[in-house]
Every structure is written in C-alpha cells, then in structure tokens.
Amino acid sequence: MTVAQESAAPGGTGAVVGALGPLVAAEATAEAPGAAVEARDLEQAVWLRLLERLDGDAGPPADAARWVRSAVRAEARRARRTAARELPYRQEPSADPAVEHFAPPERAALRSERRRSLRAAVARTPGRCPRLLMAMLAPDDLTYREIAGTLGISQGSLGPMRSRCLGCLRRMLAAEVAAPGHRGRER
C-alpha cells in the first residue's frame, strides 16, 4: 500500500500526521532556540523522518509522543553539530578603488603577490586550462558565451571543462600550501 493509499485509510498516514501535528510543532518550537535553527526547519526535518519511517517497513511508532520527542531532539543535535562545523565566509576588504587608495602598502604588496602566485599556478595547469582560467580571471568579466567564443569551444562544454580545470588548480594549490588543521593547528 502506498503512502497516498494509507493516508486515505482510517488510521493511516493522514491520521498519524493530523494527530501528531500540534505535538511536533510544540516540541520543535521548544528545541529550536537551543539548536540555533528555525522551528519550522526543525519541524520539517521531523516530518521528513516520520514520512520515511511510514514509507518503509517500520510503520507508525508505537509510542508516538516519545518518538516525536526523541526525533525532535535528534534533529536539534544534528543542527547544533552542523552549526559547530560550519564557518562563515571571511569578510574580504572592499575592492573599491577609492578605499584601495588608502590601503597600507603591505596589504597591496600581499594582494599583488597572491595574484602573481595564482596566475603562475594557472599557467602550470595542463591542456586548455590556462587559457580558460585566464579568460575567467580577465578584468572585463566575460560571459560564458564570450569565453566560449574566445576559446573556440561550445558553450555547453565550458561548464564541465571549467569544473575540471578548477579542480586541477585546487589540487595544485592544496599540494603547495598545507591546509591548517582543526582549530588552527598545523598538520
């Protein structure tokens, strides 16, 4: 029997969802602030877990209230672990030329050194990658159509080629510079 057929049957999925709705909402609202996640996101994760259970061989939980509490807490723990491992993007200084004029000379020297080393690494990539990556680094900000025309390849093959070239460049740069370990410790 499919989920749609079960929801139409008395005591099926629809009845389980209807009966557990307020409990799931209350538990998710209670746990969300501690997990630093929206209550609706937490609630949605629990509903997904319940529907996966109902669609599988497990069937509805015997003690639904206990199952909901444990599922909400498990999803909240997962959200906390994920938030602890995710790091925000680093704020880069403005690329505004007016601000650049007042930048210290050390920052300008470091920036030009990074550009030089990136362009040197791009030049060492194999095959057609150097031409593609240099076109992507061009200051005129070319579109895919313009890059494909410049390189003489189809626009459809540009995306996969770009992915391969960036992966190759990433591996080259990772081999040159050791990535810092967990919590800033060197490997």
Side-chain angles (χ1 to χ4, degrees):
M1 185 181 287
T2 66
V3 173
Q5 291 169 337
E6 284 181 18
S7 64
T13 306
V16 171
V17 170
L20 295 180
L23 180 60
V24 171
E27 288 288 332
T29 303
E31 288 288 330
V37 67
E38 294 286 327
R40 299 293 289 172
D41 291 340
L42 196 55
E43 193 175 336
Q44 184 177 14
V46 172
W47 284 122
L48 179 63
R49 185 182 277 202
L50 177 64
L51 289 175
E52 286 172 345
R53 179 186 172 104
L54 292 175
D55 198 31
D57 295 333
D63 185 1
R66 175 179 282 167
W67 185 89
V68 166
R69 279 192 297 276
S70 67
V72 168
R73 289 184 181 133
E75 291 299 327
R77 278 191 306 272
R78 183 183 308 177
R80 280 192 297 272
R81 279 193 312 267
T82 301
R85 290 184 179 132
E86 289 178 346
L87 299 173
Y89 285 120
R90 199 176 50 175
Q91 293 296 323
E92 292 292 327
S94 172
D96 185 15
V99 175
E100 294 276 330
H101 176 70
F102 298 108
E106 296 86 10
R107 185 179 299 157
L110 288 173
R111 190 174 299 115
S112 79
E113 177 64 23
R114 275 195 305 263
R115 273 194 224 111
R116 186 200 62 74
S117 63
L118 176 64
R119 291 189 187 281
V122 164
R124 291 192 313 269
T125 56
R128 296 188 290 182
C129 289
R131 287 185 60 212
L132 170 67
L133 294 172
M134 291 304 276
M136 290 176 60
L137 288 171
D140 17 332
D141 197 24
L142 302 173
T143 64
Y144 263 34
R145 178 178 287 160
E146 293 167 338
I147 293 173
T150 302
L151 298 177
I153 61 175
S154 71
Q155 189 175 347
S157 64
L158 189 61
M161 183 178 168
R162 173 186 159 271
S163 290
R164 285 191 302 273
C165 292
L166 286 175
C168 181
L169 181 63
R170 189 178 300 116
R171 285 188 300 276
M172 286 174 54
L173 292 175
E176 290 176 8
V177 178
H182 186 62
R183 304 217 190 261
R185 287 176 274 172
E186 301 248 351
R187 292 183 186 173

